[in-house]
Amino acid sequence: MTLDTSSNVNTDSDITGRRGIVLVLCAPSGTGKTTLTKRLLKEFPRFSFSISYTTRQPREGEVHGKDYFFVTEEEFCEKRDAGFFAEWAEVHGKFYGTPKEATLNMLEQGYDIIFDIDVQGASQLYGNLKQGCYVFILPPSREELENRLRGRGTDDEATIMRRIANAQKELEQAHWFNAWIVNDDLEKAYDQLRSAYIAATLSPQSSPDLVDSIMEDWR
Ligand code: 5GP
């Protein structure tokens, strides 16, 4: 797909016909969120994704304005205090935030936006933007999550234990989401996720004038 690197907008997609919706995916680390997100972006060209601001350092290969906008803590706090963010949160000691105006512009143009944000951020966003689908992806069990985190071979035991403890805190927040998907089988989880997304695109809020335009023929 063709991405305009300044906005991560897919310039090939047909975005006419309705307003954009937000699809927010929250999941404890090791639940398969990244794999599921990549598949959705590949299958549905109407998606763009939100580029967050962060105070963490760029990792190797990450590009400013494409992966994140990397800013200092001072710049971040200035923007936050000026109401620049639709939501923001402190994750692992660093700040992360979603720019409000850029998000609303993309929705207005008809792009659907996929968000990979933490649970605190998702609940703030839900307060501002209800048209969309807020999905919580669950591990099948604690044991399975531990096995997956160990199987990745990237984290030491202390990090794995911290991620498991974080997962518990995140799972305690799962009750208000629109959809729960247990990722015990990737194909099944993907099928459920795309169904939840498609259902959300059919909501009256995303096409508020549809019925009126069809009823023109009766007038
Ligand atoms: P990373 O630093 O590994 O890219 O991301 C760390 C965490 O920050 C992830 O759990 C991700 O979901 C979360 N995150 C990334 N961007 C945002 C954002 O704009 N807002 C919030 N609330 N969380 C974010």
Side-chain angles (χ1 to χ4, degrees):
M1 72 183 161
T2 315
L3 286 176
D4 166 346
T5 51
S6 63
S7 60
N8 278 14
V9 158
N10 179 349
T11 50
D12 291 340
S13 64
D14 175 9
I15 53 160
T16 54
R18 63 170 172 82
R19 286 185 190 163
I21 62 152
V22 300
L23 178 68
V24 178
L25 302 182
C26 281
S29 173
T31 319
K33 181 173 61 170
T34 309
T35 312
L36 291 166
T37 305
K38 281 188 183 153
R39 277 186 71 168
L40 272 179
L41 287 171
K42 203 165 159 201
E43 184 180 357
F44 296 98
R46 192 176 182 133
F47 270 122
S48 82
F49 55 95
S50 164
I51 306 169
S52 299
Y53 283 66
T54 183
T55 59
R56 82 151 163 78
Q57 290 299 310
R59 298 190 187 119
E60 207 180 317
E62 284 184 332
V63 177
H64 177 81
K66 186 164 190 293
D67 299 287
Y68 280 104
F69 292 102
F70 297 98
V71 292
T72 62
E73 209 167 302
E74 198 186 341
E75 283 172 294
F76 190 98
C77 293
E78 255 173 39
K79 287 187 179 303
R80 180 196 62 192
D81 297 344
F84 179 83
F85 296 117
E87 63 75 33
W88 71 276
E90 189 177 342
V91 185
H92 311 311
K94 300 289 173 190
F95 293 134
Y96 293 82
T98 301
K100 191 167 19 184
E101 207 174 304
T103 304
L104 293 176
N105 284 344
M106 282 199 287
L107 291 173
E108 202 52 50
Q109 286 174 55
Y111 289 104
D112 294 332
I113 311 179
I114 197 159
F115 285 90
D116 169 358
I117 56 179
D118 83 312
V119 180
Q120 325 162 54
S123 94
Q124 282 177 53
L125 198 64
Y126 187 68
N128 292 325
L129 267 179
K130 291 209 170 45
Q131 76 271 34
C133 190
Y134 288 72
V135 179
F136 198 99
I137 301 164
L138 300 148
S141 65
R142 179 188 163 133
E143 189 187 1
E144 180 60 28
L145 185 62
E146 271 191 55
N147 289 343
R148 286 187 199 169
L149 290 172
R150 290 217 169 80
R152 296 205 297 207
T154 49
D155 300 318
D156 59 27
E157 196 55 27
T159 309
I160 291 171
M161 284 300 125
R162 202 170 55 239
R163 290 191 193 278
I164 295 289
N166 281 342
Q168 180 182 356
K169 286 197 201 118
E170 289 168 316
L171 288 165
E172 282 164 359
Q173 302 295 317
H175 53 89
W176 62 266
F177 282 74
N178 303 128
W180 288 338
I181 294 176
V182 178
N183 189 3
D184 52 355
D185 168 342
L186 190 64
E187 288 310 311
K188 191 179 91 194
Y190 182 67
D191 208 38
Q192 291 177 342
L193 180 57
R194 69 192 293 287
S195 302
Y197 160 62
I198 292 168
T201 67
L202 304 177
S203 74
Q205 290 102 315
S206 68
S207 311
D209 303 326
L210 180 66
V211 175
D212 276 349
S213 74
I214 289 173
M215 287 185 73
E216 286 284 306
D217 293 346
W218 272 265
R219 288 185 191 118

